[in-house]
Amino acid sequence: MRISYNWLKQYIETDLSPEEVGQRLTDSGLEVEAIEEVESIKGGLNGLLIGEVIEKIQHPNADRLSLTKVNIGKEVLSIVCGAPNVDKGQKVVVATVGCILHPIEGDSFKIKKGKIRGEVSMGMICAEDEIGLGAEHDGIIVLKNDAQVGSKASDYYNIENDYAIEIGLTPNRTDGMSHVGVARDLAAVISLENKEVKPISWPDVSSFKVDNTSAAIEVSVEDSEACPRYSGLRISNIKVGSSPDWLQNRLRTIGLSPINNIVDATNYVMHELGQPLHAFDAKKIAGDKVIVKTLEKDTPFLSLDEKERKLNENDLMICDAEKGMCIAGVFGGLDSGVSSSTTEVFLESAYFNPISVRKTAKRHILNTDSSFRFERGVDPEMTLIALKRVAILIKEVAGGEISSEIIDIYPTKILPFNVDFSKKRCDSLIGKDIDAETIRFILGTLDIKILSENGDSWKLEVPAYRADVTREADVIEEILRIYGFNNIQLPEKIHSSLSYSNKVEAEKVKQSIADFMVARGFNEMMSNSLISERYVDESKVEEMQNEAQVRIYNPLSSDLNVMRQSLLFNGLEAIAYNQNRQHADLTLFEFGNSYKKEEAYTENFRMALYMIGSSLPNNWNNPSKSFSYYNIIGEVNAILKRLGLFNSVKMEASEWGVFEEGIKYSVKGKDVVHVGWVNKDIQSNFDIREKVFYADFDWDMVLSLLKGDHIRFEALSKFPSVRRDLSLLLNEDIRFSAIYDIAYKCERKLLKSVELFDVYEGKNLEKGKKSYALSFVLQDSSKTLKDKVIDKVMKKIQDALKTELGAQLR
């Protein structure tokens, strides 16, 4: 949110510089992210002076040029001028030598002494567009006779330099969404510094009066829960046009573009007081009736952005006798807004239910200045003040008269909050004993009333506009931020007791594996827990469909409407994003939560690995080699070895629907990780053509298996291992995991590993067959294996493979 420094000083008298104001606001909880100098006219007309043409003669060498002498106060300058309207006696704007001009169009340029057609020119008499004042270039600017010769052009045009203060407003600080709100916080801080209450100059609305009641309008509120308060009035005989310079400059400083004097006035007051306002063209209100109600589901509504929106039955609307005119608190309608032909307006100032506005804004994917404030909660007592303020301002900038009484429908008053407060609790939470008188002073500057004091127990009344201060802890936070976080000294000693616990430090294990993966060439990614439901539907993975999904009631957008059940879709999004930017070779990992609805909602912490593209860059000495299934298997094995779980692993085929083919690792009967290459149909939804290899760790399960484990030492065997290879002809539907299980079933003591090092399908093999080349490593830790023992084990494995899988030795 942007605040104008000059505008802010209308409400609080201070000599503090913009930087000093920014520091105090940051210390009080309104964090200032940037301070930027803003010029209402680029360059601020620096170096330009008011001069008087005291002589004009024809240029001897050019028909369209004139030689002039211009008095600028301290000296008289000879200037060659090409403007057709230049004449003796005129008051003009003069750019002297060395002055830099900033024209409306084109680059800035510096005025230099020079000769034009043989005649010396010591400056330039300026036109509007040459100094950024306007688009006019038919001739020079001719000023009124009362312009003072030698004075600065910036003083004549009342050029005002300002500073835009950018505040990173947190969602709870609804009281800080206006210049008056920021001034209130600044006043509280300055008051405590000076030990004297710093008053705020509120906008004066005492001059408000109803001129006549000739144009009364009927208002009714049918949904008082969604609209607890609705105020309005009518102004007639206005003239829509451009706003005065001061109003345009204020809006430009805070990043708004001026539109017309009516809309600018409502925007000005919104940013002044924090109360959103809306102006309707009163002549377009059918039946002279304003009705606050909901409409039927799918009712079409044409909004200001010229889009037709289908309304929800819970969307609160501002309607006339025939149609909807505005989505309440969110967005106006195209057919009821103010235009250049408008002569009467109906002004709305209301308090809408924050939840109702927030839901409507999210449904229609709208984020406006109005919804930003209403959905966080505005001051319900500000509606009439803001209404009177904007009515006075509109009369000032657009004329007209107030032609109706103020309508104020407020059936149930929104009351302040009562909070019980303990000074001892306050001192305990803050960590410092702040004297009671200082606390009373701070509460007073924050409009928090002390209703009663009974020893340590105080009863406080918090104003309704502080929707975020409803508990004792909130009040204590308010006291601390005004008192100053920097005024709380750090203790000289910290008392702590050390205890040893033989438990897994989850964060330490996670960080250790993250460092391990980075060292192996992986990049860590972080992604949103929200994904598009479309990903799940298009994946056709049975385990993820319908009842399993955790849906968001009020999604930020249709692309973020369900909680992810797996990290896979986020990874595929990242891969597609990178590949579209010429980053094709990727090794990524991510830690994150997944969410599922079973009998109850469950949240599970997981780790994911992704590999796609080439494992080595392509160069003259190294042909490019793509990642394979065995690369991702190797990474999974490396992680499990690092965690000390690999020796307890059992592998079998994964039936998880996200894989074309995959393996499931389990430890002690618990599933730990699924690994494989991603289903082609899922990849195609992201326009990814190369194979994506993916591993999904149940990290919660991993941590549970680490509990209670101790470091174990096992000496390296003194006896050599023996490798035997088999080349087998198999049916193409047989998986490696089946061979793996059968081998270990035949020999558990001596068999140390089974690896698949080659697969062949194609020429010279009969249809439906494939060839696997396998290695078997045998070792006895107590003696050297003899050929007789080795042959016996291998024959047993070979016979079992033949019997159970129909494997043939090639």
Side-chain angles (χ1 to χ4, degrees), residues 723-776:
R723 170 173 165 161
R724 291 287 186 270
D725 294 344
L726 291 179
S727 180
L728 300 176
L729 188 65
L730 301 156
N731 291 333
E732 63 180 3
D733 61 343
I734 293 174
R735 296 174 181 245
F736 167 72
S737 58
I739 299 172
Y740 184 94
D741 291 342
I742 291 169
Y744 273 100
K745 194 190 302 180
C746 292
E747 180 55 56
R748 289 196 173 276
K749 181 181 177 183
L750 301 180
L751 186 61
K752 300 303 179 185
S753 72
V754 180
E755 300 290 343
L756 175 63
F757 63 86
D758 189 37
V759 179
Y760 177 72
E761 294 176 290
K763 192 176 179 182
N764 298 327
L765 291 183
E766 60 183 281
K767 190 175 181 181
K769 296 288 186 179
K770 63 182 176 182
S771 173
Y772 271 5
L774 302 148
S775 67
F776 299 82

Side-chain angles (χ1 to χ4, degrees), residues 655-770:
E655 302 299 330
W656 194 20
V658 303
F659 292 129
E660 285 284 336
E661 186 169 344
I663 290 177
K664 176 177 71 176
Y665 286 65
S666 57
V667 176
K668 299 178 182 177
K670 306 288 186 182
D671 293 348
V672 172
V673 58
H674 291 258
V675 58
W677 63 76
V678 177
N679 183 288
K680 293 175 185 175
D681 292 334
I682 296 177
Q683 286 188 202
S684 67
N685 295 332
F686 293 84
D687 293 326
I688 300 172
R689 293 176 178 81
E690 288 187 71
K691 283 185 178 179
V692 177
F693 298 98
Y694 170 60
D696 178 64
F697 286 82
D698 184 338
W699 199 252
D700 288 335
M701 185 59 67
V702 168
L703 294 176
S704 70
L705 292 166
L706 293 178
K707 289 180 180 177
D709 279 1
H710 299 278
I711 296 174
R712 290 174 294 179
F713 168 77
E714 185 177 312
L716 292 172
S717 176
K718 299 176 182 178
F719 304 99
S721 61
V722 177
R723 170 173 165 161
R724 291 287 186 270
D725 294 344
L726 291 179
S727 180
L728 300 176
L729 188 65
L730 301 156
N731 291 333
E732 63 180 3
D733 61 343
I734 293 174
R735 296 174 181 245
F736 167 72
S737 58
I739 299 172
Y740 184 94
D741 291 342
I742 291 169
Y744 273 100
K745 194 190 302 180
C746 292
E747 180 55 56
R748 289 196 173 276
K749 181 181 177 183
L750 301 180
L751 186 61
K752 300 303 179 185
S753 72
V754 180
E755 300 290 343
L756 175 63
F757 63 86
D758 189 37
V759 179
Y760 177 72
E761 294 176 290
K763 192 176 179 182
N764 298 327
L765 291 183
E766 60 183 281
K767 190 175 181 181
K769 296 288 186 179
K770 63 182 176 182

Side-chain angles (χ1 to χ4, degrees), residues 335-464:
D335 298 329
S336 61
V338 173
S339 66
S340 58
S341 60
T342 298
T343 58
E344 293 185 61
V345 291
F346 174 75
L347 294 175
E348 166 193 281
S349 180
Y351 177 85
F352 296 114
N353 184 292
I355 296 173
S356 173
V357 173
R358 183 165 60 249
K359 287 182 177 181
T360 296
K362 299 309 178 201
R363 269 193 293 267
H364 295 287
I365 318 176
L366 289 168
N367 183 21
T368 61
D369 281 343
S370 177
S371 68
F372 177 82
R373 287 162 173 76
F374 277 127
E375 66 188 32
R376 286 161 173 78
V378 297
D379 184 0
E381 300 305 315
M382 188 60 69
T383 57
L384 288 186
I385 297 172
L387 187 62
K388 291 177 180 180
R389 171 66 169 149
V390 75
I392 293 168
L393 185 56
I394 286 176
K395 287 182 68 176
E396 177 186 334
V397 300
E401 63 265 355
I402 299 170
S403 53
S404 76
E405 295 287 352
I406 287 181
I407 300 141
D408 185 26
I409 301 174
Y410 195 14
T412 305
K413 185 177 175 62
I414 297 173
L415 299 174
F417 308 103
N418 288 338
V419 177
D420 293 325
F421 174 80
S422 162
K423 185 182 179 303
K424 287 181 181 177
R425 177 69 174 159
C426 177
D427 294 341
S428 173
L429 282 180
I430 289 176
K432 183 177 181 178
D433 184 1
I434 302 175
D435 66 90
E437 194 55 44
T438 299
I439 292 176
R440 292 188 191 97
F441 185 85
I442 291 172
L443 293 175
T445 64
L446 295 172
D447 296 338
I448 298 176
K449 295 179 182 178
I450 301 173
L451 299 179
S452 65
E453 291 185 37
N454 185 11
D456 183 56
S457 179
W458 299 10
K459 188 170 286 296
L460 309 178
E461 182 183 271
V462 181

Side-chain angles (χ1 to χ4, degrees), residues 8 168 400 541 697:
L8 183 67
V541 178
F697 286 82

Side-chain angles (χ1 to χ4, degrees), residues 223-325:
D223 189 343
S224 58
E225 183 180 350
C227 178
R229 186 173 193 179
Y230 191 89
S231 308
L233 60 79
R234 190 166 184 163
I235 303 181
S236 302
N237 300 322
I238 62 168
K239 184 177 180 181
V240 177
S242 297
S243 298
D245 290 342
W246 70 265
L247 179 51
Q248 292 193 37
N249 290 340
R250 286 284 185 261
L251 296 179
R252 286 194 183 103
T253 298
I254 61 172
L256 296 183
S257 298
I259 298 171
N260 59 52
N261 47 8
I262 306 301
V263 176
D264 292 350
T266 60
N267 283 334
Y268 179 88
V269 174
M270 177 176 68
H271 285 273
E272 178 182 53
L273 298 175
Q275 172 65 45
L277 300 144
H278 192 74
F280 299 91
D281 188 326
K283 289 189 175 180
K284 296 178 182 176
I285 301 176
D288 277 344
K289 288 184 179 180
V290 173
I291 308 165
V292 184
K293 62 179 182 178
T294 56
L295 297 176
E296 291 182 4
K297 186 177 180 180
D298 293 330
T299 299
F301 174 71
L302 191 61
S303 52
L304 270 173
D305 55 2
E306 300 184 5
K307 291 183 179 178
E308 184 176 277
R309 303 176 186 276
K310 298 293 185 182
L311 298 177
N312 182 280
E313 66 271 18
N314 295 317
D315 292 338
L316 188 68
M317 297 292 294
I318 310 300
C319 308
D320 60 18
E322 299 174 358
K323 62 188 181 303
M325 299 189 295

Side-chain angles (χ1 to χ4, degrees), residues 40-172:
S40 55
I41 294 176
K42 188 176 181 181
L45 303 185
N46 289 334
L48 299 179
L49 300 174
I50 305 301
E52 181 179 6
V53 180
I54 58 176
E55 181 181 304
K56 173 203 168 185
I57 61 174
Q58 181 65 43
H59 193 296
N61 303 317
D63 294 339
R64 296 187 179 182
L65 298 178
S66 302
L67 301 181
T68 66
K69 291 192 180 297
V70 183
N71 177 18
I72 60 168
K74 293 183 178 181
E75 59 180 315
V76 175
L77 302 178
S78 297
I79 298 176
V80 178
C81 181
N85 65 327
V86 66
D87 208 351
K88 182 180 177 180
Q90 290 175 339
K91 299 288 182 69
V92 294
V93 177
V94 180
T96 57
V97 173
C99 176
I100 297 175
L101 299 188
H102 304 275
I104 291 289
E105 294 183 359
D107 298 330
S108 301
F109 61 92
K110 186 176 183 179
I111 300 298
K112 299 178 181 178
K113 177 181 177 181
K115 282 188 176 183
I116 301 176
R117 294 290 184 92
E119 298 294 330
V120 174
S121 184
M122 299 292 292
M124 176 176 167
I125 304 175
C126 303
E128 276 189 1
D129 66 328
E130 292 167 337
I131 58 176
L133 283 176
E136 184 66 42
H137 191 68
D138 291 338
I140 59 169
I141 304 169
V142 179
L143 306 176
K144 295 179 181 178
N145 287 330
D146 60 358
Q148 186 177 349
V149 172
S151 63
K152 295 179 180 179
S154 58
D155 293 338
Y156 180 85
Y157 284 103
N158 295 317
I159 299 303
E160 180 184 73
N161 287 350
D162 200 352
Y163 292 87
I165 302 173
E166 189 75 41
I167 295 177
L169 195 67
T170 53
N172 63 308

